[in-house]
Amino acid sequence: MEVTIVGGGIGGLTLALMLHEKGIPSRVYEAAPELKALGVGINLLPHASRELCQLGLEEELAKVAITTRESGFYNRHGQHIFTEPTGRHAGYEWPQFSIHRGDLHMVLVEAFKQRIGADRLMTGWSCTGFDQDDSGVTLHFVDPRDGSARPSVKAEMVVSAEGIHSRIRKQLYPNEGPPRYSGINMWRGVTRWKPFLTGASMVRVGWLNTAKVLIYPIRDNIDAEGNQLINWVVDIETDKYKSQRDWNKPGRLEDFFDVVKDWKFDWLDCPAMFKAANAILEYPMVDQDPLDQWTFGRLTLLGDAAHPMYPRGANGSAQAILDCRALTDALVREGDPIKAMHAYEAIRRPATAKVVLTNRANPPDAILREVFLRTEDKPFDHIDDVISREDLEQLSTNYQRIAGYHKDNLAVPAGS
């Protein structure tokens, strides 16, 4: 059995590496003619880092990432609400990494080339669709540089890991309709800046009625002054959005700066950091309603191709990585690809649907919303007068359980 994977992003490459570890061959077809370190920051929480560490990638990830120590919550006046330790600092067996998406991708690319072989990573192969019969799936490709046809590929088993713009999903669900807009627009950027708080802190500030900001470092000691590369995201309620789902669409400082221009705290000067950004990107917070079916014959969906969700709680990449584990385990356990794909879907489709819906109603930063509502967005004298620490911990724990990274979720060994 050989698995044909469409898409050479985080999900596709992680799946290939997991399959290789179990002795299952694969080949990856990626649309991009050249794999480059693109994007901004992401977080790898313990449920995701466990899988990558068990693939033997911890040392390489630690070289290029920040090992996050804590996650903090502040109101828009800069007042501290709540901080909890993360990763090994919270007693997990695995670290939490904050990392540039491009750095993570390159770690996976190099591991693929070394372990599986560069000849099995086909770049410049853009999938345009498929045909399927009892004997297998025939995939059709073009060269994205000039649109010329590539040879069709006959496959025994296909996994679409193409991301949010999956052509295979589009063919399976041609009438699905546009993405569901949350009412929140996002501006993302990275800035060379001096370390703040512990130098390994992730913080969430404010709430959406004005603005909510997520900030964390993703590269350490990037110059002789000891600066870090800081990733930040500004979320603002916006009735309409003009941009499409394009992670690389340029954004403009002036479109959001007035809302956050006074956010100067004793622990971080946010407006100065935004002004000094290397680049700014804009993206609408969108998702799609959960699907009723992922698997069709010898073909299934994985990652954002299966369950696009709001980019909250480090869930995009994490849930894709958990998909990879579930599918790999099912293939080992079942042997037959069709049975394995259905077993994988039975586990992961309801789990990811719960995350999609929870992100809409009770996101990981629900702590900020609760404090905003209780204080009516005004400064407080002491946080204990607003909300108890027990309530704050419960809000955090509830989301950890849904997303799958609470310690109880991870009590079962990966791959068991």
Side-chain angles (χ1 to χ4, degrees):
M1 176 174 55
E2 178 171 299
V3 180
T4 301
I5 302 168
V6 183
I10 293 169
L13 295 177
T14 300
L15 177 61
L17 289 167
M18 287 184 178
L19 293 172
H20 175 76
E21 187 180 50
K22 300 297 184 181
I24 301 172
S26 66
R27 191 179 298 272
V28 175
Y29 292 85
E30 163 58 36
E34 183 181 357
L35 295 177
K36 300 178 180 178
L38 301 175
V40 285
I42 60 173
N43 273 279
L44 294 173
L45 274 63
H47 57 338
S49 68
R50 172 174 76 164
E51 303 297 346
L52 299 181
C53 290
Q54 293 193 355
L55 282 172
L57 299 175
E58 180 174 358
E59 183 178 352
E60 294 306 309
L61 290 170
K63 289 178 183 177
V64 295
I66 299 290
T67 302
T68 311
R69 295 182 58 90
E70 63 179 15
S71 176
F73 298 81
Y74 295 77
N75 66 12
R76 72 178 180 91
H77 308 289
Q79 293 178 295
H80 178 249
I81 296 169
F82 177 65
T83 293
E84 58 187 352
T86 59
R88 289 200 174 108
H89 300 281
Y92 287 92
E93 293 183 42
W94 308 276
Q96 176 174 330
F97 289 123
S98 295
I99 188 169
H100 193 289
R101 180 181 290 270
D103 291 341
L104 170 59
H105 194 205
M106 289 301 104
V107 168
L108 295 172
V109 168
E110 289 307 310
F112 183 102
K113 290 178 178 179
Q114 292 173 16
R115 301 178 189 185
I116 302 173
D119 61 324
R120 288 191 163 263
L121 179 54
M122 317 293 289
T123 56
W125 287 66
S126 179
C127 182
T128 59
F130 69 93
D131 297 308
Q132 184 169 195
D133 56 30
D134 292 341
S135 64
V137 183
T138 301
L139 294 166
H140 307 295
F141 296 93
V142 297
D143 186 331
R145 290 166 290 199
D146 58 14
S148 61
R150 294 258 192 204
S152 295
V153 173
K154 190 67 176 287
E156 180 182 1
M157 172 183 169
V158 172
V159 178
S160 167
E162 304 160 274
I164 56 175
H165 297 296
S166 168
R167 294 297 296 271
I168 289 175
R169 176 178 173 134
K170 182 98 176 144
Q171 183 173 335
L172 293 171
Y173 291 94
N175 300 315
E176 184 177 15
R180 182 184 182 276
Y181 179 49
S182 65
I184 300 163
N185 208 54
M186 307 164 60
W187 288 266
R188 306 167 62 96
V190 291
T191 305
R192 301 167 69 95
W193 204 251
K194 59 184 179 295
F196 67 93
L197 296 176
T198 67
S201 302
M202 178 175 70
V203 300
R204 297 178 174 94
V205 188
W207 186 242
L208 298 164
N209 296 59
T210 304
K212 180 177 67 67
V213 178
L214 172 65
I215 309 167
Y216 54 91
I218 55 176
R219 287 180 186 158
D220 208 4
N221 293 316
I222 60 173
D223 56 27
E225 286 73 45
N227 286 318
Q228 296 177 316
L229 191 65
I230 307 293
N231 181 86
W232 51 266
V233 187
V234 178
D235 296 346
I236 298 177
E237 286 188 339
T238 309
D239 290 338
K240 298 180 181 179
Y241 70 95
K242 298 178 180 178
S243 61
Q244 299 301 310
R245 292 189 294 181
D246 178 3
W247 285 114
N248 298 309
K249 181 184 184 298
R252 302 190 310 164
L253 179 71
E254 56 266 33
D255 287 342
F256 67 90
F257 187 74
D258 280 351
V259 180
V260 293
K261 65 183 178 182
D262 298 323
W263 290 29
K264 299 178 182 180
F265 313 132
D266 56 3
W267 49 273
L268 184 63
D269 186 338
C270 293
M273 185 183 65
F274 299 149
K275 282 184 174 180
N278 298 6
I280 296 174
L281 305 175
E282 180 184 355
Y283 189 83
M285 187 179 287
V286 294
D287 67 7
Q288 300 275 179
D289 289 332
L291 297 175
D292 294 329
Q293 184 178 352
W294 293 356
T295 301
F296 297 80
R298 293 178 174 270
L299 182 151
T300 196
L301 306 174
L302 180 144
D304 282 346
H307 45 72
M309 57 185 63
Y310 294 165
R312 284 175 163 170
N315 269 302
S317 57
Q319 297 301 322
I321 290 168
L322 297 181
D323 290 349
C324 296
R325 169 56 62 198
L327 181 53
T328 299
D329 290 351
L331 284 164
V332 172
R333 185 174 62 249
E334 301 292 342
D336 177 76
I338 295 177
K339 290 181 180 178
M341 285 187 285
H342 284 287
Y344 147 75
E345 179 180 334
I347 295 169
R348 292 300 297 157
R349 189 164 55 81
T352 55
K354 186 178 290 186
V355 176
V356 169
L357 299 177
T358 299
N359 271 352
R360 293 178 181 177
N362 290 294
D365 41 30
I367 285 172
L368 297 177
R369 179 183 61 194
E370 189 66 21
V371 172
F372 172 87
L373 293 173
R374 295 189 185 197
T375 63
E376 298 180 339
D377 199 29
K378 297 181 177 65
F380 51 77
D381 292 327
H382 197 282
I383 189 60
D384 290 343
D385 299 330
V386 178
I387 187 171
S388 69
R389 183 169 181 86
E390 290 75 19
D391 286 347
L392 291 167
E393 290 174 347
Q394 190 61 49
L395 284 166
S396 177
T397 297
N398 289 344
Y399 190 84
Q400 290 174 13
R401 292 186 187 280
I402 293 293
Y405 62 92
H406 189 272
K407 290 175 187 175
D408 292 347
N409 300 91
L410 300 181
V412 179
S416 66

